[in-house]
Amino acid sequence: MEDFRKFTDMSRIEDRNVFGKFAEAMKPCNDTGYFEVENFSFNLNPMSQFFYLSGTNSVPKHFSESKACALMAWYLKGNRDDTEILKAFPEYEHKDMNTAYVKFNSNYGFYLLTQKYLYEACAILANDINSRRASISINNNTTMFSKIGDKLCTNNIMFRIRDGRLNMTVQMRSNDIVRNMVYDIFTFCMFYGIAFNILLRTYPALKVGVYNHTVASMHFHTSYKDAFMEAVMYEQYIGVSKRMAFNFYDERFIQKLERKMKTVSNIQFNMI
């Protein structure tokens, strides 16, 4: 597999102890049955795309490439009415949904691709390399204050170009560190790759920068404590466990991403 380290040296800023950092700070969240760390934040190299895998048969894997691809394919279709996601993520059935309101508000592709907010953010940076306005607001009061419907976990995605590198900040309202975080990281890395590939057309010397992941409530339920501790041990003794074969510097990245995700979906994507 291609060694991406030759493209960018991000080892100085990339956090390799995410689960351990959480373990040191976590505490019970009132009487909810959850462990939580508020305002949890860490930095990643978005092209590393590292994920932790469980090593036993008794605990489900923390990351499934097929589930990640199914989720990204669902995002690429950008359709909030699409129920295809239930095949890979049946836990969506347990969200606060009903027959009168079945839209999946958490299909981020709807905002980034269908409504073209990701392209508009890239256009802002293409016109002004120093801009701080390439900020995509995903969450909204109408959705959050409603008593029904799928609640959004992500508030904002922000892009900046600094020192010749494209940086991204993802600010989330809520994130489950055991069951959901790895999938969120994967898909946000893929959206980063789309933005990076677009901006390469304006800035051919652009380099991969920092992905900051900040969560107001990072948590996991006590029933997943064994799975969490396994992730802590895996991270401590094995470290980075897997890389996805995507190179953001490849001008064909978007086409390759689209082809990869079509392996889990027959729907035609509406990309660029």
Side-chain angles (χ1 to χ4, degrees), residues 50-256:
F50 68 89
F51 307 99
Y52 302 88
L53 309 176
S54 67
T56 69
N57 294 326
S58 59
V59 181
K61 287 186 177 181
H62 297 287
F63 180 78
S64 162
E65 183 175 343
S66 61
K67 287 187 69 170
C69 289
L71 181 61
M72 192 62 200
W74 186 60
Y75 287 159
L76 290 179
K77 287 183 281 183
N79 181 1
R80 291 190 298 169
D81 298 313
D82 182 14
T83 60
E84 191 77 11
I85 191 62
L86 296 175
K87 294 179 180 179
F89 288 85
E91 52 265 39
Y92 266 93
E93 292 276 17
H94 302 294
K95 286 181 172 285
D96 187 16
M97 309 286 282
N98 65 20
T99 56
Y101 190 93
V102 296
K103 291 185 183 300
F104 291 96
N105 294 313
S106 55
N107 185 316
Y108 300 141
F110 172 76
Y111 311 97
L112 299 177
L113 303 178
T114 302
Q115 294 194 323
K116 301 187 182 302
Y117 293 158
L118 183 63
Y119 308 136
E120 291 182 14
C122 290
I124 289 173
L125 288 175
N127 290 324
D128 180 2
I129 196 172
N130 299 310
S131 180
R132 295 183 290 270
R133 296 189 298 108
S135 177
I136 304 169
S137 296
I138 293 179
N139 212 341
N140 61 84
N141 291 338
T142 300
T143 298
M144 292 308 301
F145 296 160
S146 172
K147 294 182 179 180
I148 59 175
D150 174 24
K151 304 306 179 189
L152 286 151
C153 292
T154 300
N155 294 328
N156 297 280
I157 303 173
M158 295 160 277
F159 295 94
R160 299 166 305 283
I161 297 177
R162 298 293 184 267
D163 300 320
R165 296 181 183 273
L166 178 64
N167 298 327
M168 178 178 71
T169 299
V170 174
Q171 199 283 325
M172 300 190 71
R173 172 187 64 84
S174 175
N175 208 192
D176 187 313
I177 194 170
V178 175
R179 296 186 297 166
N180 301 118
M181 183 187 74
V182 287
Y183 297 106
D184 290 323
I185 288 176
F186 170 74
T187 52
F188 288 133
C189 283
M190 295 299 101
F191 283 125
Y192 174 98
I194 294 172
F196 184 85
N197 205 257
I198 292 171
L199 287 166
L200 272 180
R201 303 167 190 174
T202 303
Y203 306 111
L206 188 65
K207 295 182 179 180
V208 168
V210 179
Y211 164 16
N212 174 263
H213 191 82
T214 297
V215 185
S217 171
M218 184 72 88
H219 56 265
F220 70 89
H221 194 266
T222 53
S223 59
Y224 286 88
K225 188 173 182 178
D226 289 344
F228 172 77
M229 294 309 299
E230 182 185 48
V232 173
M233 297 297 292
Y234 196 96
E235 179 180 61
Q236 181 177 356
Y237 292 107
I238 299 178
V240 176
S241 62
K242 186 167 185 174
R243 289 176 181 267
M244 303 293 291
F246 286 115
N247 174 9
F248 297 164
Y249 290 90
D250 188 341
E251 63 181 10
R252 297 166 298 170
F253 162 74
I254 295 176
Q255 289 73 29
K256 288 182 177 181

